[in-house]
Amino acid sequence: MYNKKPVAENIFHVGVNDRQKSLFENYLPLPEGVAYNSYLIVDEKIALIDTVDVSFADVYFAKINAILKDRTVDYLIVNHMEPDHAGSIGLLKQKYPNITVVGNAKTFDMLKGYFDINTQLHEVKEGDTLTLGKRTLTFYMAPMVHWPEVMVAYESNDNILFSADAFGTFGTNDGDYLDSCINTDKYWDEMRRYYACIVGKYGMPTQNALKKIVALPVKTICSTHGPVWQQELNKVVDLYDKWSRYEAEAEGVVIAFGSMYGNTQQLTEAVAEGVVAGGIKNVVIYNVSKTDTSFILSDIFKYKGLIIGCPTYMGGVYPLVEKLLSSIECRGIKNRLYGCYGSFTWAGAAVKQLTAFAQTMNWELVGNPVENKQAVSGEKYQAGFELGQAMAEKLKALRQ
Ligand code: FEO
């Protein structure tokens, strides 16, 4: 009834694809859908690692039944309590009343709060092990990647890391869950967007978790979202390392602008022309009114240069640019080269506030902020061009 090909001998992927939900966490668009992965280890004892969103519990239980027949599940390892994974715990407990839930003290606080479960618990701490028969799991705490109770489990026979959300990505598993069996092109931008929006605030905790992970001889990463990583394992670990250090992936500039009647947009053209004339080819322009903030945030993680422009609106920054600024500030993105520009009709305020954002973020302000009154004059167009050129010069100076 479904592909029961194991991840390793007697370790099965029993996750599901969600092609229905439009918005993850009810705010992040899902153009490629999302997968909720759970894993079943069949040994002398049987263990499930995490569950799936409760909307898919029927499909999930059918997959488990198809493998176990009349055997029962002994342990549920809860690496992460967010309901996209923990959602089916209540139903699982009804189905397997004698199941023991394995987690840490923080897990159990949430387990009681969400499901009123506080019996048959097995608490683990850093480095504790659980033997299932031939296989043994070792637990490592990964707090704030991206919730406080998060932990990972390492299986030492086949060097498999069950990594919770870490190394996860938006995007369903299409036709197979193993990275070597599918074209992984669609995941890289979506993985960065997932990281930027969900984990991005927690760079230091992610670095701390990575230190533990790279010390293990991991050959397979089983995340809770997206493919199981084997072939691309080094790439995903390198990307997580880069993102969590807020280091750009490539040389380039994001220009994000808001514009009500086209004047700030004209300045955007001038700025972009300046960047390209200055010798930088990667310029990504986003109209904040057309593109969801999550995609813009993702490219801000990708590129070192960022230039933001908008009109003054009610004595402040244009609302959708304000949303972008707040998303950036919330994630604490570090070490960006930053410029700004904008326009107004009778009293300018936005450019002053956009300029102050450099200080808020402790970023280097590049070039002169450009503030245009009413229609864009030739002089202001030139100033926009020079702002773009100044950014290009700064980026080129970083070339090795
Ligand atoms: Fe995929 Fe943090 O849950």
Side-chain angles (χ1 to χ4, degrees):
M1 98 170 253
Y2 87 102
N3 177 8
K4 281 186 281 187
K5 181 183 71 178
V7 177
E9 190 185 5
N10 291 327
I11 299 184
F12 298 91
H13 175 275
V14 287
V16 298
N17 286 316
D18 187 342
R19 303 177 192 278
Q20 296 164 9
K21 190 174 282 170
S22 304
L23 297 172
F24 192 76
E25 295 182 351
N26 220 9
Y27 85 107
L28 297 165
L30 287 173
E32 302 284 349
V34 66
Y36 314 115
N37 297 329
S38 168
Y39 303 91
L40 182 66
I41 304 178
V42 180
D43 204 329
E44 287 164 33
K45 296 286 184 184
I46 293 179
L48 263 175
I49 300 191
D50 295 309
T51 72
V52 302
D53 186 298
V54 71
S55 326
F56 295 86
D58 52 351
V59 181
Y60 177 56
F61 290 143
K63 287 188 172 190
I64 295 168
N65 288 344
I67 294 165
L68 292 187
K69 308 281 192 303
D70 55 357
R71 288 188 72 184
T72 186
V73 180
D74 300 291
Y75 294 108
L76 170 65
I77 317 286
V78 180
N79 280 338
H80 183 22
M81 271 299 296
E82 193 164 8
D84 53 334
H85 312 293
S88 298
I89 291 179
L91 294 175
L92 194 75
K93 182 81 177 164
Q94 284 175 26
K95 186 172 162 63
Y96 302 110
N98 295 321
I99 197 167
T100 296
V101 182
V102 180
N104 56 66
K106 290 187 176 120
T107 319
F108 295 151
D109 170 70
M110 297 177 188
L111 195 67
K112 169 82 174 111
Y114 276 112
F115 298 104
D116 201 25
I117 294 173
N118 60 358
T119 56
Q120 286 167 259
L121 308 179
H122 178 81
E123 185 180 333
V124 291
K125 297 190 173 71
E126 180 77 11
D128 282 356
T129 57
L130 179 71
T131 299
L132 302 172
K134 281 191 234 160
R135 296 187 183 275
T136 296
L137 295 171
T138 307
F139 301 95
Y140 299 95
M141 303 300 122
M144 299 321 298
V145 184
H146 61 121
W147 277 28
E149 85 298 358
V150 171
M151 61 184 200
V152 299
Y154 177 66
E155 195 287 321
S156 48
N157 268 14
D158 285 290
N159 310 96
I160 301 171
L161 182 76
F162 298 95
S163 65
D165 280 345
F167 314 109
T169 171
F170 294 133
T172 46
N173 296 322
D174 297 341
D176 206 310
Y177 59 81
L178 194 60
D179 66 350
S180 57
C181 296
I182 53 178
N183 184 334
T184 53
D185 290 354
K186 79 168 182 180
Y187 295 109
W188 305 116
D189 282 342
E190 284 296 80
M191 184 185 240
R192 189 188 326 96
R193 190 166 67 93
Y194 178 91
Y195 179 87
C197 295
I198 292 168
V199 188
K201 180 180 173 71
Y202 305 105
M204 187 53 77
T206 303
Q207 278 287 306
N208 292 338
L210 278 173
K211 282 189 191 103
K212 296 180 189 180
I213 289 165
V214 297
L216 301 167
V218 178
K219 289 187 184 150
T220 301
I221 291 178
C222 292
S223 165
T224 45
H225 298 290
V228 166
W229 302 112
Q230 286 180 340
Q231 191 169 277
E232 303 283 12
L233 187 145
N234 289 337
K235 178 172 176 173
V236 299
V237 172
D238 285 350
L239 285 171
Y240 253 66
D241 182 40
K242 213 162 239 173
W243 297 333
S244 54
R245 285 187 285 113
Y246 301 97
E247 190 183 298
E249 269 175 64
E251 180 189 84
V253 182
V254 175
I255 304 176
F257 75 97
S259 186
M260 287 189 285
Y261 298 105
N263 293 300
T264 306
Q265 183 173 323
Q266 270 195 56
L267 277 180
T268 303
E269 304 297 350
V271 172
E273 286 167 17
V275 173
V276 174
I280 299 296
K281 290 184 177 173
N282 286 326
V283 179
V284 188
I285 300 176
Y286 286 114
N287 178 345
V288 294
S289 304
K290 286 182 69 178
T291 304
D292 183 80
T293 304
S294 64
F295 294 93
I296 307 173
L297 209 53
S298 174
D299 269 342
I300 293 171
F301 268 80
K302 182 174 184 179
Y303 295 117
K304 177 93 173 168
L306 172 64
I307 306 178
I308 298 180
C310 75
T312 292
Y313 192 88
M314 293 189 185
V317 168
Y318 186 61
L320 293 173
V321 167
E322 200 164 36
K323 180 184 173 200
L324 176 63
L325 298 183
S326 137
S327 297
I328 293 169
E329 190 179 352
C330 167
R331 270 81 182 173
I333 300 173
K334 299 185 198 333
N335 301 325
R336 290 300 180 266
L337 296 171
Y338 172 71
C340 63
Y341 60 99
S343 55
F344 67 97
T345 299
W346 72 93
V351 171
K352 194 172 169 202
Q353 292 181 24
L354 287 176
T355 304
F357 191 64
Q359 206 167 11
T360 303
M361 298 303 298
N362 199 20
W363 288 343
E364 180 177 348
L365 184 67
V366 175
N368 296 315
V370 180
E371 187 174 43
N372 178 72
K373 184 176 180 182
Q374 298 154 4
V376 178
S377 64
E379 186 191 334
K380 292 296 179 181
Y381 200 94
Q382 179 61 25
F385 183 84
E386 286 170 10
L387 169 60
Q389 274 188 317
M391 179 61 79
E393 291 307 319
K394 279 283 178 189
L395 287 169
K396 283 191 300 185
L398 296 174
R399 288 178 183 167
Q400 289 169 346

